Amino acid sequence: MLGDLTMACFSYSKKTGIKSIFIFTFFWMCLATCFLTDAFALTDYQRKQITDNLDHPKMKMNTSIFDGTHFVAGTDKAKAGKYYKDYVYYLKRALRGWKMLSSSDKGSPEAQEIFARLEEKSKWGQAMQKAYPTFSANKGVAKGATDTKRKQVPSSGGGMTSYQKQSVTHYLDGKNMRQDTTIFDGKNFVKGAAYQKVKQYYNGFIRDLNNANNKWNSNISPSAKGSADGKALLERLNDASEWARAMEAQYPAYEKGQLALIQANKDSKAKAKKAAQADKAEHQKVCRSFMKQAMLPLNRDPITRLIQQLKHNNQKIGTPEQVETHAKVAAQVDSVCKGIDYAKLTSKPCYYVINGPHNDPVNWCEAAAKSGELIKAAALNSAKQTISIVGTASIQSPKEFMDRDGWLTFEGKVTYKDKLFFSSHGRENVMGSVKSLLASVGVENAEETLWGEQKGRLDTLRKEVEKTAGTWKSPEEKAGNYSTKLARNQIQKMHPDAKIHKAYLSRASYKIHKNALGVPLRKTMPGYILFKLPDDPFCQLRSYTLTEQYEGGGKYQKASGVRIGYVRFQKCP
């Protein structure tokens, strides 16, 4: 019996083409079947020597690379070669582990389960060994679905093992073989489904159907095919084959149409890209031309000022000469803007606009086109600033007025009318300083425009003075000395018609002022003088300061006058 079995195994090896290690291994596999009655359990070590290799990830039957008969078309050659070599390496290790088992060990039920797995893995390896040379040379040929329906096998009573059934249902139940009606409705591929998704579904379905067919033909015995499970599997295989044939009938035309659309889309994008590149080149050419003609070094400051005036109304042009320069530059830039392809120039930002809005041709051309009104507005800004400096330096806000306890920052000769009302004489003097500037931009009768804000502020201040005049109390009188006479004389010279009520000191002692070395420089005492002018509605309380300079030796020089300070209008006693 052993001789017959040995010859049968070698005959099988010769018939199937299994060489070297496969021949030797199959001989021992066959030999093990003679000792089923002498079964012993495997040790953990014996088991691991085989199953650790059979269960290794690189021994997975990867149907995305090899479908059981052929390497899948389109698979990377290097990837397929590595998979094949790794698979054979771990298969040989598993076979060596089997070889190390004794005859009695090989006859155990557990060993027979392992034997069945080894046989399946060996057949997969044998199929790859047979298919690899062709794939390596041609990169494989895709297989299609079966074209014929399987014939029903009459029942012969044999059952189907769970392993046999699972070897087929593993593919039939896989996600690749679901009948996805969002991709294929049974007759046509669904419009709107993504081409790559359809392609992946189609190839996966056909591949796994071929794998299921191979398992049906190689793993399932005739008796098992005739069982109830076999008939159910056959029905499922036939149903899947019908679905596959329907797809195969439509796929060539579908793929041709999709590839045509893809190519048309590529051609359209290439054409659009070429047109965009040409448009970009033309745009850059116009941008360079504008820069060369308009953005000259001497033009930059005037145009930048006009752009700022356009955007923020915060620029000032202070002389007729500056007005003339800005107008000439703007006219030259405006001429360039009108002579260039403005639509092309402004169709998109020029490449140098990244350096700031002052480099944007759109802003340059807009500022140049509106230069007349912009220059006039900048000149008025300058005139207002001049008037503000001269006319409003001492015009306080209501808050400032109250924070100073009613003291106004007017110095020198002060009358209620001259300081709290606009005098035409003072206004004419100030207007004279900006007259030539306003004339250069064609502005006439601009007094109200220029003085309006100042007049409003002065009116507000005057109302505060009138409202609070009766609330202020004179500072407390502390002492008196020769300074009071000096203050009276100075006010009398300033205002001969003034009625002086009193003059006094608000501190009884001097304040000594010293340098960094502690040497005295001078000493001061503060005082006040209260008087009334005939045309003023209120008395004026004026502050004054007596200052005596240090002469040395502990002596100070007597003052010949006092410094008259700020004024507060208040009710007379």
Side-chain angles (χ1 to χ4, degrees), residues 202-453:
Y202 171 75
N203 288 334
F205 193 98
I206 298 299
R207 181 181 62 246
D208 281 7
L209 177 58
N210 285 330
N211 290 335
N213 288 335
N214 290 335
K215 293 299 181 183
W216 171 266
N217 292 326
S218 62
N219 286 4
I220 312 301
S221 65
S223 60
K225 290 178 181 178
S227 67
D229 284 342
K231 293 177 181 179
L233 277 182
L234 182 61
E235 184 176 352
R236 292 186 63 189
L237 282 168
N238 286 334
D239 181 62
S241 296
E242 288 290 340
W243 187 267
R245 280 194 293 273
M247 284 199 293
E248 286 182 322
Q250 297 296 324
Y251 190 75
Y254 168 80
E255 183 176 46
K256 182 178 180 180
Q258 290 296 312
L259 292 177
L261 288 175
I262 292 172
Q263 187 59 47
N265 188 42
K266 287 182 179 179
D267 293 344
S268 177
K269 287 183 178 179
K271 185 177 180 181
K273 182 178 180 181
K274 185 176 181 180
Q277 290 173 338
D279 181 70
K280 180 179 179 181
E282 183 62 27
H283 180 256
Q284 290 182 345
K285 181 179 178 181
V286 175
C287 288
R288 285 192 294 269
S289 177
F290 181 82
M291 175 184 280
K292 184 177 180 181
Q293 296 180 66
M295 293 182 167
L296 304 175
L298 293 177
N299 292 355
R300 285 194 172 274
D301 282 347
I303 292 297
T304 298
R305 184 172 288 109
L306 293 182
I307 290 173
Q308 291 297 316
Q309 178 62 26
L310 175 68
K311 302 294 183 183
H312 308 292
N313 188 27
N314 62 354
Q315 297 299 298
K316 300 171 184 67
I317 298 177
T319 67
E321 291 75 21
Q322 289 179 334
V323 169
E324 182 180 4
T325 298
H326 283 72
K328 285 182 178 180
V329 169
Q332 191 263 328
V333 172
D334 188 50
S335 175
V336 174
C337 294
K338 291 177 178 177
I340 206 166
D341 187 347
Y342 187 75
K344 176 66 71 176
L345 178 69
T346 58
S347 61
K348 60 178 72 69
C350 286
Y351 59 90
Y352 43 75
V353 173
I354 191 174
N355 296 322
H358 58 281
N359 285 321
D360 191 344
V362 173
N363 291 336
W364 276 61
C365 290
E366 185 179 2
K370 298 178 178 179
S371 60
E373 61 186 87
L374 295 176
I375 292 172
K376 179 188 287 187
L380 285 171
N381 286 345
S382 180
K384 288 179 180 179
Q385 183 183 48
T386 300
I387 289 173
S388 173
I389 292 172
V390 176
T392 66
S394 57
I395 300 179
Q396 298 152 229
S397 69
K399 184 178 184 307
E400 291 171 331
F401 175 75
M402 295 305 296
D403 287 345
R404 291 178 177 271
D405 293 328
W407 289 95
L408 300 172
T409 55
F410 299 140
E411 294 185 300
K413 185 177 180 179
V414 175
T415 69
Y416 194 82
K417 182 178 180 180
D418 287 344
K419 292 299 182 180
L420 294 175
F421 290 89
F422 272 111
S423 66
S424 59
H425 175 71
R427 187 162 50 185
E428 287 172 2
N429 287 340
V430 176
M431 286 298 294
S433 65
V434 296
K435 185 175 181 180
S436 59
L437 172 62
L438 297 177
S440 68
V441 292
V443 174
E444 298 178 0
N445 302 320
E447 290 191 18
E448 187 62 33
T449 300
L450 298 175
W451 289 101
E453 179 183 351

Side-chain angles (χ1 to χ4, degrees), residues 22 103 121 127 134-135 158 223 231-232 267 344 367 374 432 486 553 567:
F22 294 109
S103 298
K121 295 284 188 178
T134 301
F135 173 79
S223 60
K231 293 177 181 179
D267 293 344
K344 176 66 71 176
L374 295 176
L486 294 176
V567 59

Side-chain angles (χ1 to χ4, degrees), residues 24-307:
F24 188 73
T25 301
F26 269 78
F27 170 72
W28 282 103
M29 288 181 180
C30 295
L31 188 61
T33 60
C34 298
F35 302 96
L36 294 178
T37 56
D38 300 323
F40 293 90
L42 301 180
T43 66
D44 288 341
Y45 175 77
Q46 290 173 320
R47 185 184 307 106
K48 286 174 65 64
Q49 288 295 306
I50 304 173
T51 58
D52 279 3
N53 290 290
L54 289 179
D55 295 335
H56 196 280
K58 291 185 178 179
M59 277 205 74
K60 179 182 178 182
M61 294 182 178
N62 192 340
T63 55
S64 65
I65 297 176
F66 184 72
D67 64 10
T69 305
H70 298 84
F71 284 92
V72 176
T75 303
D76 180 71
K77 183 177 179 181
K79 181 179 180 181
K82 188 175 187 313
Y83 171 67
Y84 167 61
K85 291 175 183 177
D86 288 343
Y87 187 94
V88 170
Y89 172 77
Y90 286 100
L91 176 60
K92 287 180 179 179
R93 287 172 61 93
L95 293 174
R96 281 197 294 271
W98 175 265
K99 176 183 174 184
M100 293 172 63
L101 299 180
S102 65
S103 298
S104 58
D105 290 334
K106 292 175 182 177
S108 69
E110 183 181 13
Q112 289 303 299
E113 288 287 339
I114 292 175
F115 175 80
R117 292 184 62 195
L118 270 172
E119 183 181 28
E120 179 188 19
K121 295 284 188 178
S122 296
K123 288 181 179 180
W124 186 270
Q126 175 197 2
M128 278 202 293
Q129 185 182 41
K130 182 178 180 181
Y132 187 73
T134 301
F135 173 79
S136 179
N138 303 321
K139 293 192 178 181
V141 179
K143 285 199 67 178
T146 181
D147 291 329
T148 58
K149 222 175 184 181
R150 296 162 194 77
K151 293 182 180 179
Q152 189 68 264
V153 178
S155 175
S156 57
M160 181 180 293
T161 67
S162 59
Y163 170 76
Q164 289 175 321
K165 182 177 180 181
Q166 195 274 335
S167 69
V168 179
T169 58
H170 168 75
Y171 296 104
L172 291 179
D173 294 337
K175 66 177 183 178
N176 288 339
M177 287 196 67
R178 69 189 187 282
Q179 295 187 3
D180 191 342
T181 55
T182 65
I183 295 176
F184 185 71
D185 63 10
K187 294 182 179 180
N188 298 287
F189 288 99
V190 176
K191 290 183 178 180
Y195 168 64
Q196 288 299 329
K197 184 177 181 181
V198 172
K199 181 180 178 180
Q200 183 180 11
Y201 172 71
Y202 171 75
N203 288 334
F205 193 98
I206 298 299
R207 181 181 62 246
D208 281 7
L209 177 58
N210 285 330
N211 290 335
N213 288 335
N214 290 335
K215 293 299 181 183
W216 171 266
N217 292 326
S218 62
N219 286 4
I220 312 301
S221 65
S223 60
K225 290 178 181 178
S227 67
D229 284 342
K231 293 177 181 179
L233 277 182
L234 182 61
E235 184 176 352
R236 292 186 63 189
L237 282 168
N238 286 334
D239 181 62
S241 296
E242 288 290 340
W243 187 267
R245 280 194 293 273
M247 284 199 293
E248 286 182 322
Q250 297 296 324
Y251 190 75
Y254 168 80
E255 183 176 46
K256 182 178 180 180
Q258 290 296 312
L259 292 177
L261 288 175
I262 292 172
Q263 187 59 47
N265 188 42
K266 287 182 179 179
D267 293 344
S268 177
K269 287 183 178 179
K271 185 177 180 181
K273 182 178 180 181
K274 185 176 181 180
Q277 290 173 338
D279 181 70
K280 180 179 179 181
E282 183 62 27
H283 180 256
Q284 290 182 345
K285 181 179 178 181
V286 175
C287 288
R288 285 192 294 269
S289 177
F290 181 82
M291 175 184 280
K292 184 177 180 181
Q293 296 180 66
M295 293 182 167
L296 304 175
L298 293 177
N299 292 355
R300 285 194 172 274
D301 282 347
I303 292 297
T304 298
R305 184 172 288 109
L306 293 182
I307 290 173

